[in-house]
C-alpha cells in the first residue's frame, strides 16, 4: 500500500510542478515515461539500520517509515491512489519482489 501511496505522491507532486496541470491530471502525469521515472525515485534498502523505502526526486527526500502516517495519507494522495494503482500494478509488484529478495539475502 505504501508503494502505491509513494507513486501517487510523486505523480501529484509532478503535476503541481507543471504549469499546464490543473490539479492532478492522470493523463498527463501517468505516462509510461513518467511512471518509469517515478519508480526510479523509489529505493528499497537499509536506511538508519533497518529496511525502508526512500523517495528521492521532484524535490522530495523522504523515508516511507517516517511519512507513512503523514505525507502519504494527505487527501491529495489518498483520493488519487485508485487511479494510480490501476496503471502501476506491474511496476509495484516488481518493486516488491526485488525488496523481498533483498531482505531474504540479508537473512
Amino acid at each position: 500500500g505504501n508503494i502505491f501511496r509513494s507513486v501517487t505522491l510523486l505523480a501529484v507532486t509532478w503535476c503541481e510542478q507543471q504549469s499546464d496541470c490543473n490539479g492532478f491530471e492522470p493523463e498527463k502525469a501517468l505516462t509510461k515515461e513518467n511512471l518509469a521515472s517515478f519508480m526510479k525515485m523509489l529505493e528499497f534498502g537499509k536506511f538508519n539500520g533497518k529496511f525502508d523505502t526512500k523517495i528521492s526526486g521532484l524535490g522530495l527526500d523522504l523515508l516511507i517509515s517516517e511519512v507513512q502516517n503523514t505525507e502519504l495519507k494527505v487527501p491529495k494522495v489518498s483520493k488519487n491512489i485508485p487511479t494510480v494503482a490501476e496503471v502501476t500494478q506491474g511496476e509495484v509488484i516488481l518493486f516488491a519482489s526485488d525488496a523481498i529478495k533483498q531482505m531474504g539475502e540479508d537473512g
Side-chain angles (χ1 to χ4, degrees):
N2 282 335
I3 301 304
F4 286 117
R5 288 180 179 278
S6 299
V7 177
T8 304
L9 175 63
L10 287 165
V12 170
T13 301
W14 182 88
C15 272
E16 290 172 347
Q17 295 175 358
Q18 307 306 306
S19 59
D20 62 340
C21 260
N22 184 14
F24 178 63
E25 294 187 38
E27 63 284 349
K28 290 181 181 176
L30 303 177
T31 64
K32 278 188 189 265
E33 296 79 16
N34 280 356
L35 290 175
S37 175
F38 299 155
M39 292 308 295
K40 287 181 183 159
M41 295 176 195
L42 301 179
E43 178 189 357
F44 181 82
K46 274 201 170 171
F47 301 96
N48 303 322
K50 63 181 181 188
F51 283 108
D52 205 341
T53 300
K54 185 175 188 174
I55 306 168
S56 300
L58 303 176
L60 302 173
D61 187 14
L62 309 166
L63 289 174
I64 286 182
S65 65
E66 296 175 358
V67 297
Q68 63 188 353
N69 295 316
T70 54
E71 281 95 332
L72 294 184
K73 297 261 174 104
V74 297
K76 70 181 182 182
V77 172
S78 296
K79 72 179 182 182
N80 292 306
I81 288 171
T83 305
V84 174
E86 206 173 281
V87 295
T88 58
Q89 296 278 334
E91 289 88 346
V92 171
I93 288 169
L94 289 172
F95 186 87
S97 174
D98 184 55
I100 291 166
K101 183 178 170 203
Q102 282 185 52
M103 288 189 299
E105 289 171 356
D106 188 65

